[in-house]
Amino acid sequence: MSKKNIQSLRGMNDILGKDSELFTYFIENASRIARNYGFSYLETPILEETALFKRSVGESSDIVNKEMYQFIDKGENDVCLRPEGTAGVVRSFIQNKFDRAGGTYRWYYYGPMFRYERPQKGRLRQFHQFGCEVFGVSSVYEDANIIMMIKNILDFFQIKFKLQLNSLGCPQCMPVYRDNLVKHLTDFKEELCEDCNRRIETNPIRVLDCKNENCQKLLYNAPKITNNLCAKCDIDFVKLKEILDYNNIEYEIDSNLVRGLDYYSQTAFEFTSSEIGAQSAIAGGGRYDRLVEFLGGRQTAGIGFAIGIERLLELVKINETKEDVIYLGALDENALNLLTKIAIEKRKNTKTIIEYSPRGFKKHFQIAEKSEATIVALIGENELNDGTIYTKNLVTQEEKTIKIEDF
Ligand code: HAM
């Protein structure tokens, strides 16, 4: 009986080969930039109580409603694979009593997120995010700082992007706006799609980012949140635009940008690319000044973002100039010990691989060429006697036998 090979689940991929090279290249450089902006690394569990996401991302959101990998564990706990990173970070912030201690906190994280969506290009069920969260800073300069940091990361990887910006107001102005919007929508409720009809009841502002063309047409004359902000939100939004202008950061105001998670207030933004197809959002984020309170902590300002790593990597090209990789091989068994010593020295600065089996000249080259080596270095009986090493640079084809000390 033939046994069928087991495949990875739909929408869940291995990261290997060229992809894993790109993945680590991205993480290393994004982490370095985050640390330059004053962020330190934080890791939270992948599995959390389901209630955490219901209370933060929101019961009416698609993520919580339709997309969670939720189950009852063996201890009867209702748990869920995290669909995003912010909720866990906020939980940790409160659990560690940083809300009570006060002060400013900046963390970055990366790892897998899970959403049971319909897989397609750029949309996975297990995908990876690189995210940053800031606590305790209510100044709008931090909103600008976060946006500049994302731009800094995207510029490093030479990625072209568009930035969409909106303000979602605050508990003073948003509810008034929401009521106005519902009044406007009620007039042509029948013409709106089924999803929008449901959203009018549960979360009316989500109607604004409905992808249905007909709904978008009907929204043409709808009131805009950016024209209905209270004085404080308006001043902050004007200031944010001023700081971005001052730093030559281009953006578009999109008053229909509401984001798919319920925790935002004031600043909301999305970075998109036109080069990766329909799933064009490469990063998104915003301010969430009430989220700590929603989750039972002391009121603390918060703002953050996450980059979708798989989508971003579609756009990254590793610098074509290759770094050196040394291949060390023994032509004689007696040279192996010496090779281990040379490797320790070389590995301080250069990637170095050792072939443990002594082999002939030709065979070593065959193996080295199949690996990523750029320099082949071999030691046989003659070299051992002379204290030398044979080297060939596979890029320039230059061959030489030199003293080991000079290698
Ligand atoms: P989000 O917009 O839901 O925000 O996700 C951020 C990014 O993750 C998206 O822009 C996209 O690049 C990527 N992404 C989302 N879903 C998928 C998927 N199914 N497959 C591949 N990539 C995907 C958040 O998650 C918020 N936690 C961001 C944030 C942090 N806001 C404040 N702090």
Side-chain angles (χ1 to χ4, degrees):
M1 202 175 70
S2 77
K3 283 193 192 137
K4 206 172 137 233
N5 285 343
I6 295 171
Q7 305 284 313
S8 68
L9 297 174
R10 202 165 158 239
M12 300 198 174
N13 295 335
D14 302 316
I15 302 175
L16 76 178
K18 200 83 197 149
D19 289 345
S20 84
E21 225 178 281
L22 275 173
F23 190 92
T24 46
Y25 176 68
F26 170 76
I27 296 294
E28 280 164 17
N29 287 290
S31 301
R32 179 179 50 75
I33 293 168
R35 285 195 296 273
N36 288 350
Y37 277 78
F39 288 78
S40 49
Y41 181 66
L42 167 87
E43 189 165 319
T44 63
I46 289 170
L47 201 60
E48 297 266 9
E49 247 185 73
T50 300
L52 173 64
F53 302 106
K54 287 195 171 163
R55 274 163 65 185
S56 55
V57 177
E59 301 233 32
S60 67
S61 67
D62 284 351
I63 295 179
V64 167
N65 239 313
K66 306 181 190 162
E67 298 169 1
M68 293 222 287
Y69 277 88
Q70 182 185 358
F71 60 96
I72 306 294
D73 74 5
K74 291 191 169 74
E76 301 287 306
N77 305 296
D78 187 349
V79 296
C80 169
L81 291 174
R82 63 180 181 196
E84 59 102 52
T86 311
V89 176
V90 176
R91 187 229 4 95
S92 171
F93 176 78
I94 299 167
Q95 188 170 336
N96 288 291
K97 303 194 169 56
F98 293 122
D99 57 331
R100 296 183 173 268
T104 302
Y105 303 85
R106 287 187 176 82
W107 286 307
Y108 73 92
Y109 54 89
Y110 53 86
M113 308 291 158
F114 302 83
R115 296 184 191 175
Y116 196 85
E117 297 191 77
R118 203 162 44 79
Q120 63 177 80
K121 183 171 160 21
R123 196 203 271 155
L124 296 160
R125 288 182 174 168
Q126 177 173 342
F127 61 99
H128 295 76
Q129 285 185 347
F130 178 92
C132 285
E133 313 293 349
V134 182
F135 295 93
V137 188
S138 52
S139 164
V140 73
Y141 276 92
E142 190 64 22
D143 306 39
N145 196 43
I146 285 281
I147 288 172
M148 292 193 270
M149 175 173 158
I150 304 170
K151 175 173 157 37
N152 205 168
I153 295 175
L154 298 180
D155 284 351
F156 177 83
F157 293 104
Q158 298 176 14
I159 290 171
K160 287 195 227 96
F161 61 84
K162 269 203 176 133
L163 166 60
Q164 263 100 30
L165 197 61
N166 194 16
S167 172
L168 294 171
C170 68
Q172 261 75 54
C173 49
M174 179 40 101
V176 180
Y177 167 73
R178 195 187 291 125
D179 289 347
N180 279 338
L181 179 67
V182 172
K183 262 187 223 140
H184 176 85
L185 295 175
T186 321
D187 290 345
F188 34 80
K189 208 167 177 256
E190 279 79 54
E191 293 168 68
L192 289 166
C193 74
E194 207 180 301
D195 271 347
C196 283
N197 268 287
R198 190 172 41 79
R199 286 178 186 139
I200 292 180
E201 310 297 329
T202 56
N203 191 358
I205 65 157
R206 285 301 316 277
V207 173
L208 294 175
D209 75 349
C210 178
K211 301 287 173 279
N212 184 309
E213 255 177 53
N214 190 45
C215 295
Q216 278 304 323
K217 265 189 214 148
L218 295 167
L219 283 167
Y220 193 72
N221 290 320
K224 298 202 181 333
I225 176 67
T226 40
N227 296 334
N228 288 276
L229 296 171
C230 65
K232 155 96 177 59
C233 290
D234 197 44
I235 290 169
D236 278 352
F237 197 45
V238 169
K239 185 76 196 170
L240 174 60
K241 290 184 279 185
E242 187 193 305
I243 306 167
L244 295 179
D245 290 339
Y246 181 79
N247 285 287
N248 298 322
I249 295 177
E250 285 178 29
Y251 55 84
E252 280 168 13
I253 303 299
D254 179 357
S255 54
N256 287 350
L257 177 77
V258 295
R259 311 260 309 121
L261 308 98
D262 286 356
Y263 47 63
Y264 296 110
S265 53
Q266 292 201 296
T267 307
F269 56 81
E270 238 163 50
F271 286 74
T272 58
S273 161
S274 55
E275 293 167 39
I276 47 170
Q279 302 304 311
S280 61
I282 43 182
R287 192 164 265 291
Y288 49 82
D289 287 349
R290 288 174 302 150
L291 182 53
V292 175
E293 230 175 329
F294 282 166
L295 291 174
R298 262 194 205 163
Q299 200 277 327
T300 310
I303 178 164
F305 72 92
I307 293 175
I309 300 180
E310 281 83 356
R311 286 187 197 171
L312 184 123
L313 292 189
E314 294 263 317
L315 299 160
V316 176
K317 286 167 204 70
I318 286 193
N319 199 340
E320 287 302 330
T321 55
K322 270 205 205 157
E323 284 187 7
D324 273 337
V325 178
I326 300 170
Y327 173 98
L328 293 177
L331 299 160
D332 185 296
E333 173 104 40
N334 292 327
L336 275 172
N337 281 357
L338 181 55
L339 290 187
T340 58
K341 200 174 223 162
I342 295 174
I344 291 176
E345 266 318 299
K346 282 296 173 193
R347 282 174 176 156
K348 287 180 185 161
N349 294 309
T350 314
K351 183 168 173 183
T352 305
I353 40 187
I354 309 184
E355 168 57 46
Y356 293 125
S357 308
R359 296 177 189 278
F361 201 78
K362 238 174 126 183
K363 186 74 193 164
H364 273 308
F365 271 92
Q366 280 171 4
I367 305 173
E369 271 157 21
K370 273 193 198 146
S371 74
E372 55 196 324
T374 57
I375 295 167
V376 177
L378 306 175
I379 298 184
E381 209 184 321
N382 292 344
E383 287 80 9
L384 267 182
N385 290 336
D386 299 347
T388 55
I389 185 163
Y390 161 87
T391 65
K392 179 168 182 181
N393 186 315
L394 296 181
V395 183
T396 62
Q397 302 300 315
E398 189 193 357
E399 279 180 280
K400 54 188 179 189
T401 300
I402 50 172
K403 285 273 172 208
I404 289 185
E405 306 87 78
D406 299 333
F407 177 57

